Amino acid sequence: MDQLVQPNLIMLILFAIFVNNYVLSQFLGICPFLGVSKKLETAVGMGVAVIFVITLSSAVTYFVYHLLLVNLHIEYLYNIAFILVIAALVQLVEMFLKKSSPSLYQALGVYLPLITTNCAVLGVAVVNMQNNYTFIASVLNGFGGATGFALSIILFAGIRERMAFNNIPKPFQGFPIALVSATLMSLAFLGFQGLIQL
Amino acid sequence: MDITSILYPVLCVGGLGVVLGAGLGYAGKIFEVKEDPRLEQVLECLPGANCGGCGYPGCSGMASAIVSGKAPVNGCPVGGAKSAAAIAKVMGVAVEETAPKVAFVKCHGTCDKSVNKYVYEGISDCAMANQLAGGGAKGCSFGCLGLGSCVKACAFDAIHIVDGVAKVDETKCTSCGNCVKACPKHLIEIVPQAQQTRVACSSQDTGKEVMANCQVGCIACRICEKNCKFDAIYVINNVAVIDYTKCKDCGLCAMKCPKHAIENPKAIAMAEKLAQNAAAKVEAAKKPAPVAEAPATEAPATEAPASSTSSEHIND
């Protein structure tokens, strides 16, 4: 087995938030990014729920991969195994929150089950695996990536809220203008490229 | 081939699934949250069509809104008075009466009464046809294309294409509003079922253009506006529009409309009868009587009982 890698942890988090932003540089998790960014309030809910789930799933998928798949030499099954684990994990988290913290459950609402289909969750798990990160690096990479997602969706929701009051030409109303502004945000984040070398 | 290369993946993924499934099942028991028992009872009273006509995401969303007091017990347009009464019983509140509503297609330009610009042989979908030059094959660019997008949208089999124009079956219609959203011409409107006087045209073309394209289109002549005693009908953007809060359903406008673009079964039947009587009189007298005057003077008197009953209903 390859040697596990543990880069500078602070750099890793910053790298995941800005340089390797899952939405704006990797183009993962675009559906919630476009779907739940109409209001700042819902975007914050989605962002928090994603941070929660991705951090947790990075930890769990680390163990599933290194203890189960690697030991049995069936690494090629990682996609199926990760999807299974993430889906079950989201369900478990939902149940747990419903019981222990109804207010948080209410606040996250429908976004919690929606995360199951967020490809950024799987993306983070796969990146952790491919880069051979240690457990701590995996969790922090997950946390950083999810924070990056939350950051971009919240910024985007702020832009869309202001955009709603603007006089947008008819062919651009709705999703077209949202996609144009997402592109511009992505270009802006391109400026972070090369800022940090891991 | 080593059998383990098949066995391990199958056992591993299968085992993972079983373990996670069992874990979730167990967790479901541990983290079980007692829900308001009324939620399920209310959900049972709702029609379960998940049409979204109430404005909530599906029937379960509506049920939780009712239980938490955010939505009125009669908020379901599909279930109507029946489900409202059942829900009111569960919730222990009195139900407010709501007037039943139905969808109405504001176009009566059937195949024989309207002209077509060309023959449309594309996909049988109104939105598709509407994107073509001139907004579909129909001569009138505001008229019903008759390709049945509303029929597909209806979950209750309550709207059908008859003679090339969509027609609502009012006994089945639940006023959920799905057809309203489906119509690319914005022809369908939710109207009070009790009020039978409705403008069956939504053409904003000028009178001349309407005349060229359709025999039953509103030509914005304003005769209805001048004749209405209740200030309830106005010509806006070249088409007559009824204010249902003011309309007393007397049917005078329907009788006066030279193009028969205003629908009112009672008034139209009455007008036909009067015209027949007048024609018979003419036949008997063998002289040109002022036919047009005869129905006009009698109309308000004959319609009086009908208008009084409908105004009673409005006062409720």
Side-chain angles (χ1 to χ4, degrees):
Chain A
M1 203 176 78
D2 298 344
Q3 194 62 41
L4 288 180
V5 186
Q6 178 160 340
N8 184 329
L9 294 177
I10 296 169
M11 285 300 168
L12 180 69
I13 292 181
L14 289 177
F15 185 77
I17 294 178
F18 294 109
V19 182
N20 203 19
N21 188 294
Y22 280 91
V23 178
L24 298 170
S25 308
Q26 308 276 311
F27 308 115
L28 288 170
I30 295 291
C31 25
F33 179 69
L34 290 174
V36 245
S37 56
K38 275 204 186 113
K39 274 194 268 169
L40 201 56
E41 203 182 312
T42 55
V44 172
M46 188 69 181
V48 174
V50 166
I51 292 177
F52 192 65
V53 168
I54 292 190
T55 311
L56 211 58
S57 76
S58 311
V60 177
T61 48
Y62 173 86
F63 288 117
V64 169
Y65 184 73
H66 287 281
L67 295 186
L68 203 64
L69 300 185
V70 170
N71 281 344
L72 291 173
H73 298 292
I74 47 170
E75 290 95 334
Y76 63 91
L77 280 173
Y78 67 87
N79 263 335
I80 298 173
F82 286 179
I83 290 171
L84 210 61
V85 168
I86 291 166
L89 187 72
V90 172
Q91 286 292 314
L92 187 71
V93 167
E94 199 191 344
M95 282 181 207
F96 176 74
L97 283 184
K98 202 174 179 184
K99 176 83 174 174
S100 61
S101 168
S103 54
L104 184 59
Y105 178 77
Q106 279 289 325
L108 295 180
V110 73
Y111 308 116
L112 205 52
L114 274 181
I115 296 168
T116 320
T117 52
N118 186 343
C119 39
V121 184
L122 185 64
V124 171
V126 173
V127 165
N128 286 339
M129 178 207 79
Q130 283 170 345
N131 287 341
N132 247 332
Y133 283 152
T134 57
F135 177 69
I136 295 173
S138 294
V139 173
L140 288 181
N141 184 41
F143 175 75
T147 311
F149 176 89
L151 178 75
S152 43
I153 196 172
I154 290 167
L155 286 176
F156 191 51
I159 293 174
R160 280 183 85 174
E161 269 194 350
R162 275 158 192 75
M163 215 153 57
F165 300 115
N166 288 357
N167 191 10
I168 297 160
K170 211 167 182 190
F172 281 102
Q173 278 172 14
F175 271 112
I177 195 73
L179 284 167
V180 169
S181 28
T183 315
L184 293 174
M185 274 183 79
S186 173
L187 282 173
F189 266 71
L190 197 67
F192 291 117
Q193 216 73 36
L195 186 71
I196 300 165
Q197 293 287 326
L198 280 183
Chain B
M1 198 180 77
D2 192 2
I3 190 71
T4 54
S5 64
I6 296 175
L7 210 58
Y8 279 165
V10 170
L11 284 180
C12 179
V13 176
L16 207 58
V18 169
V19 168
L20 289 174
L24 277 183
Y26 184 63
K29 281 245 171 87
I30 294 178
F31 298 127
E32 196 181 6
V33 178
K34 284 221 169 70
E35 280 180 340
D36 195 331
R38 291 180 302 176
L39 196 67
E40 207 163 304
Q41 287 172 332
V42 170
L43 194 56
E44 265 172 35
C45 301
L46 291 169
N50 289 322
C51 65
C54 53
Y56 288 94
C59 288
S60 60
M62 180 63 176
S64 60
I66 289 175
V67 171
S68 59
K70 283 184 203 141
V73 289
N74 56 7
C76 176
V78 178
K82 206 175 147 197
S83 82
I87 295 167
K89 212 173 164 191
V90 173
M91 296 295 294
V93 295
V95 64
E96 299 155 37
E97 204 59 50
T98 48
K101 293 189 169 189
V102 287
F104 175 66
V105 183
K106 295 186 284 183
C107 176
H108 278 188
T110 48
C111 298
D112 52 327
K113 286 180 181 142
S114 62
V115 294
N116 278 348
K117 285 187 288 241
Y118 49 83
V119 178
Y120 176 75
E121 285 186 345
I123 297 166
S124 191
D125 183 86
C126 298
M128 198 71 92
N130 191 32
Q131 289 175 355
L132 294 178
K138 198 146 202 153
C140 169
S141 60
F142 296 93
C144 175
L145 295 168
L147 295 169
S149 286
C150 50
V151 179
K152 277 175 230 153
C154 184
F156 305 97
D157 192 34
I159 191 164
H160 298 282
I161 303 297
V162 181
D163 272 344
V165 166
K167 194 160 170 41
V168 176
D169 181 348
E170 294 194 5
T171 55
K172 286 181 183 167
C173 179
T174 58
S175 72
C176 70
N178 278 346
C179 53
V180 177
K181 285 174 218 145
C183 182
K185 298 283 193 188
H186 309 293
L187 278 174
I188 310 177
E189 193 185 3
I190 303 291
V191 298
Q193 189 171 20
Q195 287 184 323
Q196 295 282 322
T197 311
R198 296 162 192 168
V199 181
C201 179
S202 49
S203 166
Q204 296 177 7
D205 284 334
T206 55
K208 195 182 163 197
E209 283 171 68
V210 174
M211 288 280 227
N213 289 323
C214 183
Q215 294 169 24
V216 290
C218 174
I219 53 172
C221 64
R222 295 177 191 270
I223 288 177
C224 49
E225 205 177 287
K226 286 169 200 145
N227 276 287
C228 183
K229 294 192 175 72
F230 307 104
D231 197 33
I233 188 163
Y234 276 99
V235 173
I236 301 167
N237 287 336
N238 283 329
V239 62
V241 177
I242 292 179
D243 182 348
Y244 289 105
T245 55
K246 289 180 183 168
C247 178
K248 304 280 187 226
D249 215 14
C250 71
L252 191 59
C253 53
M255 285 179 64
K256 292 284 185 181
C257 181
K259 300 296 282 181
H260 304 295
I262 306 179
E263 187 189 79
N264 183 319
K266 286 178 293 182
I268 287 165
M270 193 64 76
E272 274 173 13
K273 208 174 163 189
L274 288 172
Q276 273 175 8
N277 286 352
K281 267 185 205 165
V282 172
E283 197 98 328
K286 287 279 176 193
K287 60 175 183 181
V291 184
E293 289 298 312
T297 46
E298 284 173 45
T302 49
E303 279 304 304
S307 69
S308 70
T309 49
S310 56
S311 63
E312 249 172 58
H313 176 83
I314 288 158
N315 290 338
D316 284 346

